[in-house]
Amino acid sequence: MTRLIDRLITLHRAIDAAVLRERQHLIPDPLRIAALKKRRLAIKDRIHRALVRRLATA
């Protein structure tokens, strides 16, 4: 895999962990969770596009 895809996967996992930590708070912040999920989805879309481009050029 490319370094970009590796970095994006690492970032996606970190955001996923942040969502889980936020959910474990006594009073989770729904706005923070929503923002994290939105960012995580954007990263997932970037991973998908990068993989498709890589497959198209292979």
Side-chain angles (χ1 to χ4, degrees), residues 9-33:
I9 289 171
T10 300
L11 183 56
H12 186 273
R13 288 179 181 157
I15 294 169
D16 195 40
V19 169
L20 293 175
R21 280 192 307 274
E22 184 63 37
R23 285 183 174 166
Q24 291 174 349
H25 288 169
L26 187 58
I27 303 173
D29 183 350
L31 294 178
R32 176 162 165 71
I33 292 172

